[in-house]
Amino acid sequence: MILQALVAYYEALAARGEISRPGWSSVKVSYALEIDENGRLIDVLPTKVQTADGKRSEGRPMAVPERVKRSSGIVANFLCDNALYLLGIGDVDKPDRAAQCFLAAKALHKALLENVDARAAKAICAFFERWDLAQAREHPLLAPLLDELAGGANLVFYCGGYAHEETELARAWQDDYGGEAEGEPMRCLVTGNLAVPAAVHPAIKGVKDAQSSGAALVSFNAPAYCSFEREQNYNAPVSKYAAFAYTTALNHLLADKKHTLRIGDATVVYWAEHAQPVYQDMFSFFMGEGSEMRDEDLEAYMRAIASGGTADWDGIPVKPDNHFYVLALAPNAARLSVRFFLRDSFGHMVQNLRAHYDRLAIVGDGRGKSKDIPMWALLRETVNEKSRDKAPSPQMAGDTLRAVLTDTRYPATLYQQTQLRIRAERTVTHGRAAIIKAYLMKNTDDEYRKEALEMQLNEATTYQPYVLGRLFAILEEVQNRASGVTTIKDKYFSSACATPAVVFPLIMNLSDKHLRKLEGGMKVYYAKQIGALTAMLTESYPPHHSLYDQGVFQLGYYHQTQKRYEKKNTAVTIEE
């Protein structure tokens, strides 16, 4: 299903001329080796361009002959490779390997270009014949660039023009690439056609923390994974065309940083049927990724699409019934793990996302810049505030995003991690309160409990954990007014939340002493509030609160505190 969707995406892009044709791939090239017709190196031309943020330079993307997939062997690329193969410059401690790599590149280029009647072809063959490996590092044009060249920068040839763009040289490569493959034709699992399978699929690059040289999505590299005496990817036959198409499409998606997400350890890409980029733009904005649009306008778009209507986005109609795909990939040694793959209508996926944001909606603490809490900010609430590494649990992060987009129950780990952080840091933030509210609304069926799961303070509900949370907030405020310091939350918040019967008799007794220190109307005001809340307690203090009711207690505390601070817009903090 994944490969078929990617092949369809490739074909849609190829029909519009927006992606590499079979046998070619887009590679970032840092330098061009300019040679004359006799094969002499006369200059090294930089081809780098500035990144979108303007902070650094990187290789310019160029369509070059399809790259081979390397492991530890020596295999050369045609017309575009690193200095180890094209110049014999590599690890100074391994001169023999550098020589072998150069000779491999020489053999490949002579085999494909020796009979090509073109000036660039003859110049490249002459270059390989006359290049002196022993003096390569001392060449005056290369000496200033040795560190970068040894680091794997990609190079191409330039002979009056880029060699890989010359018609005769491109035809020589295409004839070799498209030649009849040796082997037994098998039914391609992607296209359904009979074809000789690709033994090794092209590498996939751009997945965070995976090998920089590329990793495999389909791979068999040990006898334990093979069957029927088949080797490598013959165990899952995919034609050379389909292997090229799905890897090219996936590399195209991963290279588009504007339309990728990082959730936990997973790199998430997404695309629409027929490869229409407007759907990617909208999904990025809906996920809270870099939109300058007003919250009200974004919400209007979301609700229009979620309700089944067609939205106009810069003059382009966005249809809710168009298929939309989300693929999350995680690194795993030399391979990639599929964290999840989703296929649904765009409208249904947006509807699920809007429902998630509605569940999260809770009175704010004045810190958030947007109305809806984006996924990255939500997951960060489960991480220690003082930790250098702000990455959430990989499995929990992936499970949460999948639950949001499919409108299924949130993973228990999301709630548990939030509770751990509240206990450890004794802080009920806006994001953590939102997680508690959304989790309990989606994952519990107790309607009485759900009375407390509102956006802001519910003064009517008598659900005891919620009332006790409110009461704790009032007792804390009384003590703060009386003594100017806060202490009961330092000592008792976690235990009051988990075991009210142990703590509340003690802090209620303390509150009487604190009230005596207050004067006039303030004393009467707080006495009435405490009296009203205690009157709502229809049962004795429970010896234990379940994990869910601890969340309701925390919501009651958060709501009551925000009521106190609603004009000040200060944070709710239970200090160390």
Side-chain angles (χ1 to χ4, degrees):
M1 185 65 180
I2 298 175
L3 304 191
Q4 289 172 328
L6 287 169
V7 169
Y9 180 68
Y10 166 81
E11 291 175 342
L13 288 174
R16 299 203 297 264
E18 297 179 12
I19 201 166
S20 302
R21 59 192 186 277
W24 299 77
S25 61
S26 179
V27 174
K28 293 179 179 179
V29 177
S30 299
Y31 296 98
L33 303 175
E34 185 177 7
I35 56 178
D36 62 16
E37 59 185 10
N38 296 314
R40 285 191 294 264
L41 181 64
I42 59 176
D43 204 354
V44 178
L45 308 176
T47 59
K48 293 183 177 181
V49 294
Q50 288 294 113
T51 56
D53 58 13
K55 295 181 179 179
R56 60 186 178 88
S57 60
E58 63 180 8
R60 176 185 299 167
M62 294 186 180
V64 300
E66 178 66 29
R67 315 276 281 173
V68 295
K69 188 173 182 179
R70 295 182 181 132
S71 53
S72 58
I74 295 176
V75 189
N77 286 305
F78 186 58
L79 296 180
C80 176
D81 216 322
N82 57 42
L84 181 63
Y85 283 84
L86 298 188
L87 299 171
I89 296 177
D91 191 339
V92 294
D93 296 326
K94 298 179 180 179
D96 291 342
R97 178 173 175 81
Q100 292 171 8
C101 291
F102 178 80
L103 292 174
K106 177 180 178 180
L108 172 65
H109 286 80
K110 291 197 68 175
L112 269 63
L113 298 178
E114 205 163 32
N115 298 320
V116 176
D117 186 17
R119 177 173 176 268
K122 296 182 183 302
I124 291 172
C125 290
F127 169 82
F128 279 105
E129 287 294 341
R130 72 182 304 153
W131 184 251
D132 186 358
L133 286 177
Q135 302 299 319
R137 287 182 170 273
E138 282 71 39
H139 196 289
L141 293 173
L142 301 177
L145 305 172
L146 284 181
D147 289 342
E148 190 172 0
L149 293 177
N154 287 316
L155 313 173
V156 294
F157 289 105
Y158 187 92
C159 186
Y162 292 116
H164 57 274
E165 295 179 354
E166 297 283 341
T167 303
E168 293 85 353
L169 277 66
R171 185 181 297 116
W173 164 251
Q174 205 67 49
D175 290 344
D176 180 76
Y177 180 86
E180 203 59 39
E182 297 181 0
E184 175 190 356
M186 302 173 71
R187 189 70 64 184
C188 175
L189 297 177
V190 177
T191 65
N193 300 326
L194 278 175
V196 177
V200 178
H201 297 182
I204 295 168
K205 300 180 180 181
V207 175
K208 184 72 173 177
D209 296 330
Q211 288 189 357
S212 58
S213 59
L217 186 59
V218 180
S219 174
F220 299 81
N221 72 334
Y225 310 130
C226 302
S227 58
F228 298 102
E229 299 182 354
R230 294 174 180 169
E231 297 180 351
Q232 296 180 308
N233 287 351
Y234 292 111
N235 288 274
V238 175
S239 66
K240 193 173 183 179
Y241 165 76
F244 166 82
Y246 91 76
T247 53
T248 302
L250 189 49
N251 281 325
H252 177 82
L253 289 165
L254 290 166
D256 182 7
K257 301 306 179 186
K258 180 182 176 183
H259 297 130
T260 57
L261 301 174
R262 182 74 193 280
I263 302 296
D265 68 339
T267 301
V268 182
V269 293
Y270 39 91
W271 68 97
E273 201 168 39
H274 310 309
Q276 296 170 336
V278 64
Y279 291 87
Q280 292 174 293
D281 290 338
M282 292 191 79
F283 188 76
S284 293
F285 294 160
F286 293 162
M287 291 294 294
E289 297 293 319
S291 172
E292 297 180 357
M293 189 177 296
R294 295 187 310 164
D295 288 342
E296 296 79 7
D297 295 335
L298 272 178
E299 183 173 354
Y301 273 114
M302 289 189 77
R303 295 201 183 279
I305 295 171
S307 62
T310 298
D312 181 90
W313 187 275
D314 290 337
I316 302 173
V318 178
K319 300 178 180 179
D321 57 350
N322 200 16
H323 288 141
F324 195 74
Y325 304 88
V326 181
L327 174 63
L329 298 172
N332 180 20
R335 292 169 198 77
L336 300 176
S337 296
V338 177
R339 187 69 73 191
F340 62 81
F341 175 65
L342 305 177
R343 175 186 181 272
D344 203 343
S345 70
F346 186 66
H348 193 216
M349 206 167 283
V350 172
Q351 181 182 6
N352 294 341
L353 185 58
R354 185 65 259 169
H356 163 70
Y357 285 144
D358 288 343
R359 286 191 294 269
L360 285 177
I362 194 168
V363 59
D365 56 7
R367 292 182 175 183
K369 295 181 179 180
S370 60
K371 175 185 174 184
D372 297 325
I373 305 175
M375 185 61 64
W376 64 266
L378 192 73
L379 295 173
R380 185 169 288 187
E381 295 290 348
T382 65
V383 181
N384 189 338
E385 291 180 343
K386 299 178 181 179
S387 174
R388 290 185 178 180
D389 182 9
K390 299 298 184 182
S393 163
Q395 186 66 49
M396 181 268 293
D399 290 346
T400 300
L401 179 58
R402 178 169 51 191
V404 168
L405 296 179
T406 57
D407 198 30
T408 53
R409 292 194 169 203
Y410 296 105
T413 48
L414 174 65
Y415 187 76
Q416 292 163 358
Q417 289 292 325
T418 303
Q419 288 295 323
L420 285 174
R421 295 271 42 94
I422 291 175
R423 292 195 197 104
E425 300 169 14
R426 295 192 287 277
T427 304
V428 183
T429 63
H430 173 232
R432 289 170 186 169
I435 290 174
I436 293 169
K437 174 177 175 284
Y439 183 90
L440 295 178
M441 286 185 70
K442 186 66 178 176
N443 290 45
T444 62
D445 300 320
D446 189 334
E447 294 300 324
Y448 189 31
R449 176 184 289 142
K450 288 185 177 181
E451 287 183 4
L453 308 180
E454 295 188 358
M455 181 174 177
Q456 53 195 3
L457 182 65
N458 182 355
E459 297 180 336
T461 183
T462 58
Y463 190 59
Q464 187 151 315
Y466 186 80
V467 175
L468 289 174
R470 292 182 59 196
L471 180 58
F472 190 94
I474 295 297
L475 298 180
E476 172 194 357
E477 187 175 0
V478 168
Q479 184 180 34
N480 189 36
R481 292 285 188 181
S483 60
V485 294
T486 55
T487 56
I488 65 167
K489 56 185 176 184
D490 301 334
K491 294 181 179 180
Y492 301 120
F493 183 80
S494 295
S495 53
C497 179
T499 55
V502 175
V503 175
F504 267 89
L506 175 61
I507 61 177
M508 288 296 291
N509 182 49
L510 287 173
S511 70
D512 291 338
K513 299 177 181 178
H514 297 144
L515 278 172
R516 295 191 195 107
K517 297 179 181 180
L518 301 181
E519 298 178 354
M522 184 180 294
K523 179 177 182 179
V524 174
Y525 170 75
Y526 284 116
K528 285 183 176 180
Q529 282 200 305
I530 294 173
L533 288 173
T534 53
M536 297 172 70
L537 298 175
T538 58
E539 302 173 4
S540 59
Y541 301 124
H544 297 283
H545 274 160
S546 69
L547 196 60
Y548 287 174
D549 281 343
Q550 289 180 45
V552 175
F553 179 98
Q554 292 154 3
L555 276 182
Y557 173 85
Y558 177 83
H559 279 153
Q560 187 66 49
T561 309
Q562 286 306 313
K563 183 71 173 178
R564 181 204 318 168
Y565 291 144
E566 62 184 4
K567 292 185 179 180
K568 298 180 182 179
N569 286 327
T570 55
V572 182
T573 302
I574 308 164
E575 300 169 351
E576 288 285 330

